[in-house]
Amino acid sequence: MKRTYIKNARIVNEGQVFEGSLVIADEVIAEVLKAGELPSVACEETIDAQGCYLLPGVIDDHVHFRDPGLTHKADMYTESMAAAAGGVTSYMDMPNTNPQTTTLEALEDKFKDAATKSIVNYSFYFGATNNNADSLALLDKKKVCGVKLFMGSSTGNMLVDQMKTLKNIFANAGMLIATHCEDQHIISANTAAYKEKYGEDPDVKYHPEIRNEEACYQSSALAVQLAKETGARLHIMHISTAKELELLENKPIADKNITAEACVSHLFFCDEDYETFGARIKCNPAIKSKKDRDALRQALTGNLIDVIGTDHAPHLLSEKQGGALKAVSGMPTLQFSLTAVMELVHEGALTIEQLVQKMCHAPATLYQIKNRGFIRPGYQADLVLVNPTKVWTVNNDCILSKCGWSPMEGQTFHSKVVKTFANGHIVYDGQQVDTDYRGQALAFDR
């Protein structure tokens, strides 16, 4: 059994920051030590973490790795490399691929594929459609992270807008339902009005007006209503407006059945940034006003918003050409999500303990992930060392996502990932990713 001793760290875990050390025994955390305490058994490897935070590995509940079928822009191998370099040790991937993950066979194929490609740990959502509700009862709740429900525009038959079907899904999912909430009728009406006024492809600055606050609020309100009527476990993804916060409760996860996620894109950018970044920051739901962004940041300091994810959605830059209607929506942010949220810590908008709660603990608790997300003896050694005073600037050469760009290019960050451990193995050493390692399928205590 190999033992690794990480010493002199500032450990951030379960609301505390303390000077200490940690021992990894093969895949698991064997000991968590306070300052001055020594390992009970000699260790083969010692890592001096002086000046660094030691955090649980980030768990991203919301990524689009484009595999299978859309691998010209991303795949599990390249995007899990980006994850490792960013301190993300586990991810949950969305079903809008080709083929869509809307059958049990397609779901199983994804798990098999990940076992050979993914450098970090993984699980996959099952996509609900207007005609596959009968499959929900057959899902393995200990293996599948959740059911993804698009209540706004999506690819093919993944837009579920029939009330009878929605009620059926909410009543019979049997596990967490993660929703994309935008009202398609409002969006369609706005699209027609803006095309009439500004032509076939209005400027991207009109994107948050076409996919506006009301479209988000009405759809989220419907999801909340259905969850309350059926008792379903609802998780509203990528909240983008201050108004939607009115639908949420300021309670710990354990005390509520309806939770919410904010994404790095909506926390980091606002509509003023369209002038600089154009369609590079176009995503659905749209990035909205500074007032909305600031409200989301404030909501993170309590329990209105429970989780920070990314909605990591790579596209080629050629696909991002155009305006509010023709440029595709989505951006790659996974590799820089932790350092981007660390900027909020540096600015005083968030504490380091709150960051760990929203990016590590809460996803593990919410999804009932087995033995991950916390620094506890017996848990898998998914860990990240972060230097909180390392100033660096993102350039194109460091980007590992297959699409080859990021809206974070040119951004100066004030912290840096030094090492990432997945199951006790160093998958990123501060310079390179270990591309030979393969992560594990997440297990769920359900």
Side-chain angles (χ1 to χ4, degrees):
M1 179 180 290
K2 180 186 175 183
R3 290 181 178 269
T4 302
Y5 178 36
I6 303 174
K7 67 178 184 178
N8 300 326
R10 295 182 67 196
I11 298 174
V12 186
N13 188 55
E14 301 188 67
Q16 296 184 349
V17 182
F18 61 93
E19 302 293 328
S21 302
L22 181 146
V23 176
I24 300 171
D26 284 347
E27 292 190 353
V28 303
I29 298 168
E31 297 180 79
V32 180
L33 306 168
K34 299 285 188 178
E37 296 179 337
L38 296 173
S40 59
V41 179
C43 298
E44 289 81 6
E45 180 181 16
T46 298
I47 296 170
D48 192 345
Q50 187 70 46
C52 292
Y53 285 124
L54 180 62
L55 318 178
V58 172
I59 301 172
D60 194 331
D61 69 334
H62 191 173
V63 304
H64 298 264
F65 279 6
R66 308 301 190 192
D67 204 345
L70 303 168
T71 54
H72 64 286
K73 48 186 151 193
D75 58 51
M76 289 187 205
Y77 174 70
T78 59
E79 306 317 290
S80 65
M81 284 178 62
V88 178
T89 55
S90 300
Y91 64 85
M92 303 175 214
D93 183 64
M94 292 297 168
N96 50 336
T97 49
N98 186 19
Q100 296 169 347
T101 318
T102 55
T103 66
L104 299 177
E105 293 78 11
L107 182 63
E108 188 56 35
D109 285 345
K110 258 193 172 180
F111 277 102
K112 290 178 181 177
D113 210 19
T116 67
K117 290 182 179 179
S118 185
I119 293 162
V120 297
N121 309 311
Y122 52 86
S123 188
F124 301 97
Y125 290 90
F126 182 79
T129 71
N130 285 308
N131 50 28
N132 72 351
D134 291 345
S135 297
L136 298 177
L138 303 175
L139 296 174
D140 185 346
K141 297 176 185 177
K142 295 186 179 298
K143 182 178 181 181
V144 179
C145 57
V147 173
K148 179 61 185 289
L149 177 59
F150 287 92
M151 296 174 66
S153 61
S154 182
T155 307
N157 69 338
M158 290 196 71
L159 169 60
V160 180
D161 56 1
Q162 299 173 14
M163 187 57 67
K164 181 179 178 180
T165 304
L166 284 171
K167 289 182 177 179
N168 191 13
I169 292 168
F170 271 82
N172 297 302
M175 66 175 75
L176 179 145
I177 301 171
T179 56
H180 178 135
C181 290
E182 290 183 286
D183 187 293
Q184 188 57 39
H185 298 293
I186 294 173
I187 293 169
S188 296
N190 290 341
T191 299
Y194 275 74
K195 286 174 74 172
E196 183 176 352
K197 189 173 183 179
Y198 297 109
E200 287 300 305
D201 190 27
D203 192 282
V204 71
K205 69 182 179 182
Y206 297 117
H207 186 56
E209 298 176 26
I210 293 171
R211 307 183 82 95
N212 64 6
E213 175 190 80
E214 196 61 21
C216 295
Y217 179 82
Q218 291 297 337
S219 185
S220 292
L222 175 59
V224 169
Q225 175 190 329
L226 291 169
K228 288 180 176 179
E229 288 176 356
T230 60
R233 180 68 182 82
L234 171 65
H235 186 48
I236 305 175
M237 311 212 89
H238 43 42
I239 293 280
S240 64
T241 71
K243 190 173 182 180
E244 287 170 283
L245 298 175
E246 299 170 8
L247 300 167
L248 306 174
E249 295 181 293
N250 194 359
K251 296 179 180 178
I253 290 172
D255 297 335
K256 57 185 175 180
N257 214 35
I258 297 169
T259 52
E261 169 207 71
C263 285
V264 170
S265 50
H266 298 106
L267 294 168
F268 202 79
F269 299 108
C270 70
D271 58 0
E272 297 171 7
D273 295 314
Y274 286 112
E275 185 175 347
T276 302
F277 296 96
R280 289 191 180 209
I281 61 166
K282 185 190 173 199
C283 58
N284 299 336
I287 288 166
K288 297 184 173 67
S289 71
K290 186 176 184 293
K291 178 181 176 182
D292 289 307
R293 185 194 68 184
D294 292 346
L296 298 181
R297 291 181 176 185
Q298 181 61 37
L300 289 173
T301 63
N303 291 306
L304 275 177
I305 291 180
D306 305 276
V307 170
I308 299 174
T310 60
D311 193 11
H312 174 78
H315 294 286
L316 300 183
L317 274 178
S318 59
E319 297 170 317
K320 296 290 285 181
Q321 301 304 307
L325 300 179
K326 291 188 177 179
V328 296
S329 294
M331 66 184 94
T333 53
L334 183 68
Q335 186 176 342
F336 311 107
S337 61
L338 176 54
T339 47
V341 180
M342 280 293 297
E343 289 300 298
L344 301 186
V345 175
H346 282 286
E347 293 168 13
L350 206 64
T351 67
I352 188 68
E353 297 96 324
Q354 288 166 338
L355 177 153
V356 168
Q357 171 62 24
K358 305 298 180 182
M359 301 188 82
C360 312
H361 299 337
T365 301
L366 194 157
Y367 286 85
Q368 299 169 283
I369 301 173
K370 185 177 181 180
N371 291 348
R372 300 185 193 273
F374 297 85
I375 297 178
R376 295 172 177 169
Y379 273 52
Q380 292 296 107
D382 295 340
L383 303 162
V384 56
L385 276 174
V386 178
N387 183 334
T389 60
K390 176 67 174 176
V391 179
W392 65 292
T393 300
V394 178
N395 60 48
N396 186 263
D397 292 342
C398 73
I399 293 170
L400 297 179
S401 288
K402 193 173 187 177
C403 65
W405 69 277
S406 169
M408 299 299 182
E409 283 178 72
Q411 175 67 41
T412 296
F413 289 124
H414 298 84
S415 59
K416 199 172 193 303
V417 173
V418 175
K419 282 183 174 56
T420 305
F421 300 78
N423 307 300
H425 185 87
I426 298 176
V427 290
Y428 177 67
D429 64 4
Q431 298 293 326
Q432 292 186 323
V433 174
D434 184 349
T435 56
D436 292 328
Y437 184 77
R438 294 295 176 265
Q440 301 175 1
L442 300 177
F444 302 91
D445 269 329
R446 298 169 179 159

